[in-house]
Each structure stands twice: as C-alpha cells, then as structure tokens.
Amino acid sequence: MKAIQAIRGMKDIPPADTPVWRRLEDAAREVLAGYGYHELRPPVVEKTELFRRSVGEATDIVEKEMYTFADRNGENLTLRPECTASCVRAAIEHGWLRGRGQRLWHIGPMFRYEKPQKGRYRQFHQLDVEALGFPGPDIDAELILLGARLWRRLGLEGLRLEINSLGSREIQASYRNRLVEYLTVHAEDLDEDSQRRLGSNPLRILDSKNPSLRDMLEAAPRIVDHLDAPSRAHFEQLQAMLTASGIEFRVNPRLVRGLDYYTGTVFEWITDALGAQGAVCGGGRYDGLVEEIGGPPTPATGFAVGLERIVALMQAGPEQADAEGPHAYLMAVGEDAVRGAHALAEQLRDAVPNLRLIVDAGPGNFKRKMKSADRSQAELALILGEDEMREQQVTCKRMHDGGEQQRLARPDLIESLSKRVSLSG
Ligand code: ATP
Ligand code: MG
C-alpha cells in the first residue's frame, strides 16, 4: 500500500531538531517576561472576515495565500496566516483595551499557501509580539530593543535593522497617487506582478525583489519625504531613541510591509546568511487596525519573527550540546526482574527529580538489551537480573569510558544518580 505523506510545505520538526526550537522558545519567553509581556494563546482558526478586514483584500495573503474553507455549518473560516489580527480580535472581545495598554505575545503555527522553498513554508511558526494602546515611539523602540536582546541571547550576529515610516492613512493615500503617477510614466519597465499591483496595491511594488526594477524604483518618490509633521516627529524620536540605546539601523525608504494595516513606523530585521529569504522579523505600527475591526480607537505596534529562519541561523552557528540523552537505561533480565523493573524505576524517579531514565522490561536477552542501552546513548546501564532482584541491588555499568561496573544497593544507586543528574543540569 502507498504510504501517506505530509502535505507539501508542511514539515515535521523531528526530535533531532526540537532541542534547538525549545532553546529558541525558552529564550523568547524569558526575554519577553523581562519586558512585562504576557502570553496569549488564540485559536488557529478564525472567521475569514477577520483577515479580509485586517490584512487587506488587495494583499498577496488574502488574494491567494489563505487556507479558507467552509465548516460543516457553512461558516467561512481561515487557518490564520498571521497573528496580529487574532490578538487584536481577542483584546477587543475580552475588553482588555479599556483604559490601559496591553503587552502580549504568542508563539505558534501560521498557514500560507505560498510556493514552498528554503525558508518559505505553508505551515510555519512565528513569535508574535504586540503592544496595544501605546501611541509613542518609545514602544516602537522597546520592541526593537527586545528583538535585539533576543538575538544577542541566541548568539545571533549580523542581523541588520531597517526602518521606515509609512505615515498616516491620509499621507498614504496622497502618496499612493503620486507613486501611481510616477509608475504609470514608467509602466513599460514594470514586470507582470507590478503591473497587476499598480491598480490594487502600488506601495507593495516598492518592495519588489526583481533587480531589473531597482533603478526605476530607486528614483521613485519616497514616502518619508511626504510625511506630515506628527509622523515625522514620531519617526525622528524613534531614531533618536535607537541611537541613544546603541542600536544600529538604516532608514530604507522603500521598506513597505505586505499587509495593509501598517501606519507610521515599520521595520525589518534582515540577515544575509539565508539567501533570498533574508527577513527574519518584520513589524510596525498599526494605529488604525483596532478601530477597523470594531474596537475603540487604539494605537498599537508589534512584530512577528519567522522562527524557521531563526532556527536555520542557530543551526548554522556553533553547535550546542543539548542535554537530552538519558542518564540511565534500566534493563531487566529474567522473569522476576521484568516484573519488578517498573517498581524500581518509579522509586528512582521519585527519589531523583529530573532523572531521564529508560526502562527496558520487554522481550530480549541480555546481549540485545545491552545493545539497545548502547544505542540509547545513556550514560549508565542499570542491570537488574535475578541475583540483583534477590539482593535488592543493581549492577551499574558506565557506558562511555571502558565500561567500569559495580553492584550498588538501592540507596547508593539513588545517591550516585542524584550526583549525575545535578552535574548534567
Ligand atoms: P517575506 O517578505 O519573507 O514574504 P512577509 O513580509 O510576508 O515576509 P510577515 O507576514 O511580516 O512576512 O511575517 C513575519 C516573518 O515571518 C517574516 O519576516 C518571515 O521571517 C516569516 N515568514 C513569513 N512567511 C513565511 C513562510 N511562508 N515561511 C516561513 N517563514 C515565513
Ligand atoms: Mg510574504
């Protein structure tokens, strides 16, 4: 029979990789706690309407990347392609925005029907960080500092920060006209994708990765030259705060984001180490979004980190020993020992917190179990035979250094295991 395979672009994270993922997630949790952010766990499915209204009709995501389906009741649902909309929806629904700010984060899978390639998948994971109810550039700076701290914490080097300001909705609308005028004059230079976007989402053309458009886009009008006074002041204050905090950045006037809800500050962290998919984190302000999806007027800002790309950077860096292997492999040989093995193992687990112990009370002779013990990479083999059972002892054999072995009474075994576990941390 033909074996069933996973869906294209949706990958298993195998046990060999989960230690790196956990290291990343633990670091993120600790850093976020240090800035007073709280974890939110929204569902992965939302009403399609939520993303249409927030991400925007004329975006790649809504036009062609959403996993949308009708449930058995005919309700139109979507596997979330991003998480800001869900966080905002939850904050409005639970009334968290009344008169106070909310600092939230979430880690989980997102779904986009994109062309799968290195660094781009159909199920991928993001760390999402959102600060709702804060108007000032100080919170944009806080988010950037938090990101920088996470990179340092993970030992990642060479991440560049690019920032831009998209101004208010009004500025965006008038800039859009200017840009369309310019691009229409240069219409023959546009590629097919950009031609299409000229009518629907012209700002996004600035973000085109097509090198043949570069010179023409380089000369296009820049939104930063058309900012209103409040947007300009906000952007300048942000830059001053970053500089005062020792954060290096580049203003990239062509940095726009792929989602419609951004206003004012936008930013990306970029690496050159991953080829084409170099953006590891993107975010910015979305001061209009809460109101647009039915909440009270609420300024807000946030970012999302692509975790697959961070994991790839971590795996390319210096190798880290992840202490995951078992401390001990308990093998029972003989009828009585097989019957008593779990009782002994439970006793050891009671007595030695954090002990990683594998129990082999299955079929097989001594030789076969010894082989399995070796394969398990355990530091110790604990042999429980008929003699040991009778005398309430265990034979303890060191696996990696010549196989020295000794018989231990159970209290001595517990002491020796405790030492080993506290050494391995
Ligand atoms: P890109 O320009 O790489 O398409 P984006 O602008 O669509 O990114 P966002 O929606 O802002 O990305 O998501 C934030 C981050 O999530 C990205 O910077 C990237 O690291 C990651 N990301 C986005 N889409 C994918 C995907 N399909 N597979 C893996 N990671 C992704
Ligand atoms: Mg994208």
Side-chain angles (χ1 to χ4, degrees), residues 126-367:
Q126 286 185 339
L127 160 64
D128 206 62
V129 182
E130 311 290 352
L132 309 174
F134 301 94
D138 53 303
I139 295 289
D140 302 350
E142 173 176 294
L143 290 175
I144 287 169
L145 286 164
L146 189 163
R149 181 171 296 278
L150 180 59
W151 318 142
R152 279 202 302 282
R153 193 50 200 278
L154 296 169
L156 302 182
E157 279 166 12
L159 289 178
R160 292 181 280 115
L161 174 65
E162 294 193 349
I163 63 174
N164 193 19
S165 173
L166 302 181
S168 63
R169 283 263 186 274
E170 297 73 45
I171 294 297
Q172 280 178 25
S174 67
Y175 170 73
R176 193 183 149 112
N177 293 337
R178 256 175 230 271
L179 183 66
V180 169
E181 234 167 74
Y182 173 86
L183 293 173
T184 309
V185 172
H186 294 86
E188 75 277 14
D189 296 342
L190 294 175
D191 56 18
E192 202 180 310
D193 235 18
S194 308
Q195 295 272 8
R196 192 173 50 80
R197 284 179 172 146
L198 191 55
S200 62
N201 197 351
L203 259 68
R204 195 58 173 146
I205 299 175
L206 293 175
D207 191 38
S208 167
K209 311 259 165 13
N210 185 345
S212 67
L213 299 186
R214 190 173 309 143
D215 288 346
M216 186 270 290
L217 293 177
E218 213 47 60
R222 303 159 8 135
I223 199 163
V224 280
D225 298 331
H226 300 279
L227 294 181
D228 53 312
S231 298
R232 186 187 310 283
H234 185 111
F235 194 41
E236 279 165 7
Q237 283 168 34
L238 170 63
Q239 294 179 54
M241 284 173 182
L242 293 178
T243 304
S245 312
I247 296 279
E248 281 178 40
F249 61 89
R250 185 174 84 90
V251 175
N252 174 0
R254 262 159 297 281
L255 177 65
V256 291
R257 310 275 306 116
L259 303 84
D260 277 358
Y261 50 64
Y262 288 108
T263 52
T265 309
V266 289
F267 62 91
E268 271 184 7
W269 289 95
I270 301 161
T271 175
D272 296 321
L274 295 177
Q277 314 313 331
V280 297
C281 171
R285 276 207 157 260
Y286 48 93
D287 289 340
L289 179 62
V290 179
E291 211 175 352
E292 278 156 29
I293 57 185
T298 308
T301 178
F303 67 79
V305 182
L307 298 188
E308 277 75 6
R309 297 180 192 180
I310 299 291
V311 164
L313 288 177
M314 291 169 73
Q315 286 172 332
E319 206 161 315
Q320 301 245 350
D322 289 296
E324 292 270 301
H327 298 107
Y329 188 101
L330 172 64
M331 57 168 106
V333 185
E335 232 175 90
D336 289 347
V338 160
R339 202 176 314 114
H342 277 303
L344 170 61
E346 292 304 306
Q347 228 180 44
L348 296 177
R349 292 190 181 104
D350 286 342
V352 186
N354 300 325
L355 174 67
R356 294 191 295 271
L357 174 67
I358 292 180
V359 178
D360 183 350
N365 60 19
F366 176 79
K367 211 171 136 199

Side-chain angles (χ1 to χ4, degrees), residues 32-43:
L32 285 155
Y35 287 76
Y37 284 71
H38 299 284
E39 183 181 14
L40 166 69
R41 298 193 188 187

Side-chain angles (χ1 to χ4, degrees), residues 65 112 114 120 204:
E65 295 175 358
R112 294 183 196 176
E114 299 193 74
R120 198 174 286 291
R204 195 58 173 146

Side-chain angles (χ1 to χ4, degrees), residues 106-123:
H106 174 67
I107 289 180
M110 309 295 151
F111 304 84
R112 294 183 196 176
Y113 194 80
E114 299 193 74
K115 191 165 156 247
Q117 54 195 288
K118 185 170 167 257
R120 198 174 286 291
Y121 310 101
R122 289 180 175 175
Q123 174 173 334

